[in-house]
Amino acid sequence: MNKTVRLSDADNVVTAVTPLEIGQEGATQLIPRGHKLAAQAIPKGAPVIKYAQVIGYAAEDIVAGAHVHTHNLDFRNVDTEYEYSTNIRPAAPAATQDTFMGYRRATGRVGTRNYIAVLTSVNCSATAARKIAAHFTDDKLAAYPNVDGVVAFVHGTGCGMAGQGSEGFEALQRVMWGYARNPNIGGVLMAGLGCEMNQIDWLVEAYGLQPGPLFQSMNIQDVGGLRKCVELGIQKIEKMLPVVNEASREECPASDLMVALQCGGSDAWSGITANPAVGHACDLLVAQGGTGVLAETPEIYGAEHLLTARA
């Protein structure tokens, strides 16, 4: 078994697969598992390259075989040219069309789950939402085999923010609308406080949501307090359950799938094992006509230009 892995011929560092003693793989120092070893001498100020990309600059002269880590690496902001669609790698269409059993919604989109969502317009109603969702244990849902669960989606804002037209307000409403219309959601109960800036009625009007058996709303102040709000919410979902349970799975093409991706543990192996494996899975999905979405955008900090070229 190789004790190091080189990710690109352009790299001037390799990664230790196992802890290296001095002398192993040319190591001049002890190299912990997952850490970098200089594959060649790297002069002070020269770029350190891994994944065929600059990951930093040598803070001092680094001899071949030395441990390369935060103690001898400098970070620099560099000018980056953002190019689009210059490194596209189209996936060849799959030879056969795969399918899965999904919930086809009236919008034409397909879900892999059939949840009832308890959404909040403001942080003040988060406790109510959690208590409502927690009431519906597996035992209470046993009579509704096509309902995958009742889940609360809460957030920490909605009050004390600028109103309509502000960036934060519009972002919050887009996220709430996205939850409400997600194909994994069969029914929605939206809970508010009543006096918040982010009013439920505004969301309903702005995004054309239709109140009905599968879209209910309420707020704590109107119903007379937290306990009454929780009790009413439970009653509303109990009436919703038989309707949501009417949905059934049907065979759907893999092209209907949309999968959101997140980085792994952000450790030494994310870019060596986990992320390439997820990337390969995404390639297989795209070959089927499906869609992969890079959801955890903070993780691409410093590598934006690599992804715009692929977009």
Side-chain angles (χ1 to χ4, degrees):
M1 170 180 157
N2 291 332
K3 295 184 181 296
T4 63
V5 59
R6 183 190 293 270
L7 302 176
S8 168
D9 290 339
D11 293 354
N12 55 14
V13 294
V14 295
T15 301
V17 177
T18 63
L20 298 179
E21 301 289 339
I22 294 174
Q24 289 183 309
E25 304 293 321
T28 60
Q29 298 173 301
L30 297 177
I31 310 294
R33 179 177 180 269
H35 283 235
K36 296 177 290 295
L37 176 149
Q40 62 193 60
I42 307 173
K44 181 179 180 179
V48 175
I49 301 173
K50 184 180 178 184
Y51 313 106
Q53 305 299 328
V54 177
I55 63 167
Y57 294 84
E60 58 189 49
D61 289 336
I62 300 174
V63 301
H67 183 205
V68 180
H69 197 49
T70 54
H71 66 282
N72 56 7
L73 271 179
D74 276 342
F75 171 80
R76 299 180 193 169
N77 283 316
V78 296
D79 292 331
T80 303
E81 185 173 349
Y82 292 93
E83 298 179 344
Y84 289 83
S85 307
T86 56
N87 189 23
I88 293 177
R89 306 176 194 178
T96 58
Q97 177 67 65
D98 291 337
T99 61
F100 70 103
M101 299 301 291
Y103 294 99
R104 189 170 294 282
R105 305 300 186 185
T107 60
R109 299 175 70 192
V110 178
T112 59
R113 297 291 186 271
N114 191 32
Y115 288 118
I116 294 175
V118 187
L119 306 181
T120 57
S121 59
V122 64
N123 59 305
C124 308
S125 54
T127 296
R130 291 192 179 105
K131 287 182 176 292
I132 292 167
H135 172 82
F136 292 95
T137 61
D138 290 343
D139 289 344
K140 290 185 172 66
L141 294 176
Y144 307 100
N146 291 335
V147 178
D148 290 299
V150 178
V151 290
F153 294 97
V154 304
H155 57 88
T157 183
C159 186
M161 62 191 310
Q164 288 173 300
S166 73
E167 184 175 333
F169 183 88
E170 291 182 354
L172 175 59
Q173 288 215 322
R174 284 198 306 272
V175 170
M176 291 174 59
W177 172 83
Y179 279 131
R181 298 295 297 272
N182 190 286
N184 289 324
I185 303 301
V188 175
L189 172 62
M190 190 165 288
L193 175 60
C195 59
E196 63 269 21
M197 178 61 70
N198 183 38
Q199 289 289 309
I200 293 174
D201 290 344
W202 292 353
L203 177 74
V204 171
E205 180 181 350
Y207 289 97
L209 300 172
Q210 296 297 322
L214 296 179
F215 185 88
Q216 299 279 314
S217 64
M218 60 183 184
N219 69 63
I220 295 170
Q221 291 172 348
D222 283 349
V223 303
L226 175 62
R227 180 183 298 174
K228 290 182 178 180
C229 182
V230 172
E231 292 171 350
L232 179 60
I234 290 171
Q235 293 171 16
K236 286 179 176 291
I237 289 181
E238 286 174 341
K239 293 179 181 179
M240 198 180 291
L241 279 167
V243 184
V244 176
N245 191 61
E246 292 175 1
S248 59
R249 292 184 182 273
E250 60 183 88
E251 190 172 21
C252 302
S255 56
D256 284 328
L257 283 173
M258 179 179 289
V259 178
L261 311 174
Q262 285 192 298
C263 183
S266 296
D267 60 9
W269 304 106
S270 293
I272 298 175
T273 56
N275 291 349
V278 171
H280 180 64
C282 190
D283 287 343
L284 297 177
L285 175 63
V286 170
Q288 291 283 338
T291 303
V293 180
L294 184 59
E296 196 180 2
T297 50
E299 289 289 337
I300 68 173
Y301 177 70
E304 303 93 337
H305 60 292
L306 307 177
L307 298 180
T308 59
R310 296 287 299 275

